[in-house]
Amino acid sequence: MSTMASGSPEQRSKAPVGPLQRRWYSVPEVAEMLGYGPTKVRMMCISGDLRSLKDGGSRRILPAWVDEYVARRAAEAEEDWR
């Protein structure tokens, strides 16, 4: 019998150490982060104000896209104060 088939501890892959990093967010998660309702976030995605992608029946938003939206809104607010 081969030791490879038995899966000796040296040959098994190890589980990642530390917390998993989020790759993308759902609409309700982004709504909570921004203090908006889910409907508003969906409308922002549909209108193109907030970048998103469709994954099956769900809309997903990358963390960088949330940061871009916040930075753009902050820049617009700065322009209004000048």
Side-chain angles (χ1 to χ4, degrees):
M1 205 158 84
S2 168
T3 58
M4 291 179 77
S6 66
S8 67
E10 299 84 26
Q11 295 170 340
R12 290 186 206 144
S13 63
K14 295 182 179 180
V17 177
L20 295 176
Q21 188 175 19
R22 295 299 302 261
R23 300 293 182 168
W24 57 29
Y25 299 117
S26 66
V27 167
E29 290 170 326
V30 172
E32 185 175 330
M33 281 188 271
L34 297 177
Y36 297 157
T39 302
K40 179 171 180 157
V41 172
R42 275 190 204 87
M43 292 307 298
M44 289 166 42
C45 293
I46 291 167
S47 69
D49 290 336
L50 177 61
R51 291 174 61 186
S52 66
L53 59 90
K54 289 285 284 197
D55 182 44
S58 301
R59 192 164 290 278
R60 302 295 182 191
I61 303 152
L62 295 175
W65 296 345
V66 176
D67 295 340
E68 288 172 8
Y69 171 77
V70 171
R72 188 173 60 251
R73 292 294 293 141
E76 290 170 1
E78 285 291 322
E79 288 296 319
D80 290 344
W81 283 95
R82 293 182 189 191

